[in-house]
Short mmCIF file of all heavy atoms in Angstrom, two decimals:
data_model
loop_
_atom_site.label_atom_id
_atom_site.label_comp_id
_atom_site.label_asym_id
_atom_site.label_seq_id
_atom_site.Cartn_x
_atom_site.Cartn_y
_atom_site.Cartn_z
N LEU A 5 -5.83 -18.85 -0.87
CA LEU A 5 -4.38 -18.79 -0.85
C LEU A 5 -3.82 -17.62 -1.65
O LEU A 5 -2.72 -17.18 -1.42
CB LEU A 5 -3.79 -20.10 -1.42
CG LEU A 5 -4.17 -21.36 -0.66
CD1 LEU A 5 -3.66 -22.57 -1.41
CD2 LEU A 5 -3.62 -21.33 0.74
N GLY A 6 -4.56 -17.13 -2.61
CA GLY A 6 -4.05 -16.11 -3.53
C GLY A 6 -3.46 -14.90 -2.86
O GLY A 6 -2.28 -14.62 -2.98
N PHE A 7 -4.27 -14.17 -2.13
CA PHE A 7 -3.79 -12.94 -1.52
C PHE A 7 -2.70 -13.20 -0.49
O PHE A 7 -1.72 -12.46 -0.41
CB PHE A 7 -4.93 -12.16 -0.87
CG PHE A 7 -4.42 -10.94 -0.16
CD1 PHE A 7 -4.01 -9.84 -0.87
CD2 PHE A 7 -4.31 -10.92 1.22
CE1 PHE A 7 -3.50 -8.72 -0.22
CE2 PHE A 7 -3.81 -9.82 1.87
CZ PHE A 7 -3.40 -8.72 1.16
N LYS A 8 -2.84 -14.25 0.27
CA LYS A 8 -1.89 -14.53 1.35
C LYS A 8 -0.48 -14.78 0.83
O LYS A 8 0.49 -14.64 1.56
CB LYS A 8 -2.39 -15.68 2.20
CG LYS A 8 -3.64 -15.28 2.98
CD LYS A 8 -4.57 -16.46 3.15
CE LYS A 8 -5.85 -16.04 3.80
NZ LYS A 8 -6.97 -15.98 2.92
N SER A 9 -0.37 -15.12 -0.44
CA SER A 9 0.96 -15.38 -1.01
C SER A 9 1.83 -14.13 -1.05
O SER A 9 3.05 -14.24 -1.17
CB SER A 9 0.83 -15.98 -2.41
OG SER A 9 0.26 -15.05 -3.31
N VAL A 10 1.26 -12.93 -0.92
CA VAL A 10 2.07 -11.71 -0.94
C VAL A 10 3.04 -11.65 0.23
O VAL A 10 4.06 -10.96 0.16
CB VAL A 10 1.22 -10.41 -0.98
CG1 VAL A 10 0.31 -10.41 -2.19
CG2 VAL A 10 0.46 -10.19 0.30
N PHE A 11 2.75 -12.40 1.29
CA PHE A 11 3.64 -12.36 2.45
C PHE A 11 4.94 -13.13 2.22
O PHE A 11 5.80 -13.17 3.09
CB PHE A 11 2.90 -12.80 3.71
CG PHE A 11 1.81 -11.84 4.06
CD1 PHE A 11 0.48 -12.18 3.91
CD2 PHE A 11 2.11 -10.55 4.47
CE1 PHE A 11 -0.53 -11.27 4.19
CE2 PHE A 11 1.11 -9.62 4.74
CZ PHE A 11 -0.21 -9.99 4.61
N HIS A 12 5.11 -13.67 1.02
CA HIS A 12 6.41 -14.20 0.62
C HIS A 12 7.37 -13.06 0.32
O HIS A 12 8.58 -13.21 0.48
CB HIS A 12 6.29 -15.10 -0.62
CG HIS A 12 5.63 -16.40 -0.36
ND1 HIS A 12 6.25 -17.42 0.34
CD2 HIS A 12 4.41 -16.86 -0.69
CE1 HIS A 12 5.43 -18.45 0.42
NE2 HIS A 12 4.30 -18.13 -0.19
N ILE A 13 6.83 -11.90 -0.10
CA ILE A 13 7.69 -10.79 -0.51
C ILE A 13 7.61 -9.57 0.40
O ILE A 13 8.47 -8.69 0.32
CB ILE A 13 7.40 -10.34 -1.95
CG1 ILE A 13 5.98 -9.78 -2.08
CG2 ILE A 13 7.64 -11.47 -2.94
CD1 ILE A 13 5.72 -9.01 -3.35
N THR A 14 6.59 -9.49 1.24
CA THR A 14 6.39 -8.29 2.07
C THR A 14 5.95 -8.67 3.48
O THR A 14 5.43 -9.77 3.70
CB THR A 14 5.35 -7.34 1.43
OG1 THR A 14 5.35 -6.10 2.14
CG2 THR A 14 3.95 -7.93 1.44
N ASP A 15 6.14 -7.75 4.39
CA ASP A 15 5.67 -7.93 5.77
C ASP A 15 4.50 -7.01 6.08
O ASP A 15 3.85 -7.17 7.11
CB ASP A 15 6.80 -7.61 6.76
CG ASP A 15 7.95 -8.57 6.66
OD1 ASP A 15 7.75 -9.72 6.24
OD2 ASP A 15 9.08 -8.16 6.99
N ALA A 16 4.26 -6.02 5.24
CA ALA A 16 3.24 -5.01 5.52
C ALA A 16 2.51 -4.66 4.23
O ALA A 16 3.15 -4.37 3.22
CB ALA A 16 3.89 -3.77 6.11
N VAL A 17 1.20 -4.67 4.27
CA VAL A 17 0.37 -4.44 3.10
C VAL A 17 -0.51 -3.22 3.33
O VAL A 17 -1.07 -3.05 4.41
CB VAL A 17 -0.53 -5.67 2.82
CG1 VAL A 17 -1.55 -5.37 1.74
CG2 VAL A 17 0.31 -6.87 2.46
N THR A 18 -0.63 -2.40 2.29
CA THR A 18 -1.60 -1.31 2.29
C THR A 18 -2.56 -1.55 1.14
O THR A 18 -2.13 -1.83 0.03
CB THR A 18 -0.92 0.06 2.09
OG1 THR A 18 0.05 0.25 3.12
CG2 THR A 18 -1.93 1.20 2.13
N ILE A 19 -3.86 -1.44 1.42
CA ILE A 19 -4.89 -1.57 0.39
C ILE A 19 -5.77 -0.33 0.47
O ILE A 19 -6.26 0.02 1.54
CB ILE A 19 -5.75 -2.83 0.59
CG1 ILE A 19 -4.87 -4.09 0.59
CG2 ILE A 19 -6.83 -2.91 -0.50
CD1 ILE A 19 -5.61 -5.35 1.00
N ILE A 20 -5.96 0.30 -0.67
CA ILE A 20 -6.85 1.46 -0.76
C ILE A 20 -7.94 1.09 -1.76
O ILE A 20 -7.65 0.69 -2.89
CB ILE A 20 -6.11 2.71 -1.24
CG1 ILE A 20 -4.94 3.02 -0.30
CG2 ILE A 20 -7.06 3.90 -1.36
CD1 ILE A 20 -4.00 4.09 -0.81
N SER A 21 -9.20 1.20 -1.34
CA SER A 21 -10.31 0.89 -2.23
C SER A 21 -11.56 1.61 -1.75
O SER A 21 -11.87 1.59 -0.55
CB SER A 21 -10.56 -0.62 -2.26
OG SER A 21 -11.54 -0.96 -3.22
N GLY A 22 -12.26 2.24 -2.68
CA GLY A 22 -13.47 2.97 -2.31
C GLY A 22 -13.16 4.06 -1.31
O GLY A 22 -12.38 4.95 -1.58
N ASP A 23 -13.73 3.95 -0.12
CA ASP A 23 -13.54 4.98 0.90
C ASP A 23 -12.68 4.52 2.07
O ASP A 23 -12.64 5.16 3.10
CB ASP A 23 -14.89 5.48 1.42
CG ASP A 23 -15.71 4.39 2.10
OD1 ASP A 23 -15.31 3.21 2.07
OD2 ASP A 23 -16.77 4.73 2.68
N LYS A 24 -11.97 3.38 1.89
CA LYS A 24 -11.19 2.82 3.00
C LYS A 24 -9.73 2.58 2.64
O LYS A 24 -9.38 2.37 1.50
CB LYS A 24 -11.80 1.48 3.44
CG LYS A 24 -13.18 1.58 4.04
CD LYS A 24 -13.70 0.19 4.41
CE LYS A 24 -15.06 0.23 5.03
NZ LYS A 24 -16.10 0.74 4.18
N VAL A 25 -8.91 2.57 3.70
CA VAL A 25 -7.50 2.21 3.61
C VAL A 25 -7.25 1.15 4.68
O VAL A 25 -7.61 1.34 5.84
CB VAL A 25 -6.57 3.42 3.87
CG1 VAL A 25 -5.11 3.02 3.76
CG2 VAL A 25 -6.90 4.58 2.93
N LEU A 26 -6.65 0.05 4.27
CA LEU A 26 -6.33 -1.03 5.20
C LEU A 26 -4.82 -1.15 5.32
O LEU A 26 -4.12 -1.21 4.31
CB LEU A 26 -6.91 -2.36 4.70
CG LEU A 26 -6.45 -3.63 5.44
CD1 LEU A 26 -7.00 -3.67 6.86
CD2 LEU A 26 -6.88 -4.87 4.67
N PHE A 27 -4.34 -1.19 6.55
CA PHE A 27 -2.94 -1.48 6.84
C PHE A 27 -2.92 -2.85 7.50
O PHE A 27 -3.56 -3.06 8.53
CB PHE A 27 -2.34 -0.43 7.78
CG PHE A 27 -2.33 0.97 7.20
CD1 PHE A 27 -3.24 1.92 7.62
CD2 PHE A 27 -1.41 1.31 6.23
CE1 PHE A 27 -3.24 3.20 7.10
CE2 PHE A 27 -1.39 2.60 5.69
CZ PHE A 27 -2.30 3.53 6.13
N MET A 28 -2.19 -3.79 6.90
CA MET A 28 -2.18 -5.17 7.39
C MET A 28 -0.76 -5.64 7.67
O MET A 28 0.11 -5.56 6.80
CB MET A 28 -2.82 -6.09 6.35
CG MET A 28 -2.85 -7.54 6.75
SD MET A 28 -3.45 -8.61 5.40
CE MET A 28 -5.18 -8.19 5.39
N ASP A 29 -0.55 -6.14 8.89
CA ASP A 29 0.74 -6.69 9.30
C ASP A 29 0.48 -8.00 10.05
O ASP A 29 0.08 -7.98 11.21
CB ASP A 29 1.48 -5.71 10.19
CG ASP A 29 2.82 -6.24 10.69
OD1 ASP A 29 3.14 -7.42 10.44
OD2 ASP A 29 3.55 -5.46 11.34
N PRO A 30 0.71 -9.15 9.40
CA PRO A 30 0.39 -10.43 10.04
C PRO A 30 1.29 -10.78 11.22
O PRO A 30 1.00 -11.72 11.95
CB PRO A 30 0.56 -11.44 8.90
CG PRO A 30 1.48 -10.79 7.96
CD PRO A 30 1.23 -9.31 8.06
N SER A 31 2.34 -10.02 11.45
CA SER A 31 3.19 -10.29 12.61
C SER A 31 2.62 -9.65 13.89
O SER A 31 3.09 -9.93 14.98
CB SER A 31 4.62 -9.79 12.38
OG SER A 31 4.66 -8.38 12.34
N GLU A 32 1.61 -8.81 13.73
CA GLU A 32 0.96 -8.17 14.88
C GLU A 32 -0.04 -9.14 15.52
O GLU A 32 -0.53 -10.06 14.86
CB GLU A 32 0.21 -6.92 14.42
CG GLU A 32 1.10 -5.80 13.96
CD GLU A 32 1.74 -5.04 15.10
OE1 GLU A 32 1.17 -5.03 16.21
OE2 GLU A 32 2.80 -4.44 14.88
N PRO A 33 -0.40 -8.90 16.80
CA PRO A 33 -1.47 -9.70 17.41
C PRO A 33 -2.76 -9.55 16.60
O PRO A 33 -2.96 -8.53 15.93
CB PRO A 33 -1.64 -9.06 18.79
CG PRO A 33 -0.39 -8.30 19.03
CD PRO A 33 0.15 -7.90 17.69
N GLU A 34 -3.62 -10.56 16.65
CA GLU A 34 -4.81 -10.58 15.80
C GLU A 34 -5.67 -9.32 15.90
O GLU A 34 -6.19 -8.84 14.91
CB GLU A 34 -5.66 -11.81 16.11
CG GLU A 34 -6.74 -12.05 15.09
CD GLU A 34 -7.42 -13.39 15.24
OE1 GLU A 34 -6.90 -14.26 15.96
OE2 GLU A 34 -8.48 -13.55 14.64
N ASN A 35 -5.77 -8.75 17.10
CA ASN A 35 -6.61 -7.55 17.26
C ASN A 35 -5.97 -6.28 16.67
O ASN A 35 -6.61 -5.25 16.58
CB ASN A 35 -6.97 -7.33 18.72
CG ASN A 35 -5.76 -7.04 19.59
OD1 ASN A 35 -4.63 -7.42 19.27
ND2 ASN A 35 -5.99 -6.38 20.70
N LYS A 36 -4.69 -6.36 16.27
CA LYS A 36 -4.02 -5.20 15.67
C LYS A 36 -3.49 -5.49 14.27
O LYS A 36 -2.91 -4.62 13.63
CB LYS A 36 -2.84 -4.77 16.55
CG LYS A 36 -3.25 -4.24 17.89
CD LYS A 36 -2.04 -3.81 18.67
CE LYS A 36 -2.45 -3.27 20.03
NZ LYS A 36 -1.30 -2.83 20.81
N MET A 37 -3.69 -6.72 13.80
CA MET A 37 -3.16 -7.15 12.51
C MET A 37 -3.69 -6.31 11.35
O MET A 37 -2.97 -6.00 10.41
CB MET A 37 -3.51 -8.62 12.30
CG MET A 37 -2.92 -9.24 11.09
SD MET A 37 -3.46 -10.95 10.87
CE MET A 37 -3.19 -11.67 12.47
N CYS A 38 -4.96 -5.95 11.40
CA CYS A 38 -5.61 -5.19 10.34
C CYS A 38 -6.21 -3.92 10.91
O CYS A 38 -7.05 -3.97 11.81
CB CYS A 38 -6.72 -6.02 9.70
SG CYS A 38 -6.14 -7.51 8.89
N ARG A 39 -5.77 -2.80 10.37
CA ARG A 39 -6.29 -1.51 10.83
C ARG A 39 -6.86 -0.77 9.63
O ARG A 39 -6.16 -0.58 8.63
CB ARG A 39 -5.19 -0.68 11.47
CG ARG A 39 -4.64 -1.36 12.71
CD ARG A 39 -3.51 -0.61 13.30
NE ARG A 39 -2.96 -1.37 14.41
CZ ARG A 39 -1.98 -0.95 15.16
NH1 ARG A 39 -1.44 0.21 14.93
NH2 ARG A 39 -1.54 -1.69 16.14
N ILE A 40 -8.11 -0.37 9.75
CA ILE A 40 -8.78 0.33 8.65
C ILE A 40 -9.02 1.78 9.06
O ILE A 40 -9.45 2.04 10.18
CB ILE A 40 -10.12 -0.34 8.28
CG1 ILE A 40 -9.85 -1.70 7.63
CG2 ILE A 40 -10.93 0.53 7.34
CD1 ILE A 40 -11.09 -2.43 7.15
N VAL A 41 -8.73 2.69 8.14
CA VAL A 41 -9.06 4.11 8.33
C VAL A 41 -9.83 4.56 7.09
O VAL A 41 -9.70 3.97 6.02
CB VAL A 41 -7.80 5.00 8.53
CG1 VAL A 41 -7.06 4.61 9.79
CG2 VAL A 41 -6.89 4.96 7.33
#
């Protein structure tokens, strides 16, 4: 439950760690909800 609680305040999340960047939007269809570059 911890991380998912951020969707109380935001609709779009960016995470940068190591060599990856994740763009997450839970309002998108499941196959597009998480995009990593």
Side-chain angles (χ1 to χ4, degrees):
L5 300 174
F7 176 74
K8 292 147 185 106
S9 65
V10 303
F11 295 110
H12 288 288
I13 65 165
T14 190
D15 295 333
V17 171
T18 303
I19 302 171
I20 303 170
S21 186
D23 62 353
K24 294 179 179 63
V25 180
L26 170 68
F27 298 105
M28 179 186 288
D29 178 354
S31 69
E32 292 283 334
E34 192 170 346
N35 64 335
K36 294 182 180 180
M37 185 183 311
C38 297
R39 297 176 185 182
I40 291 184
V41 297

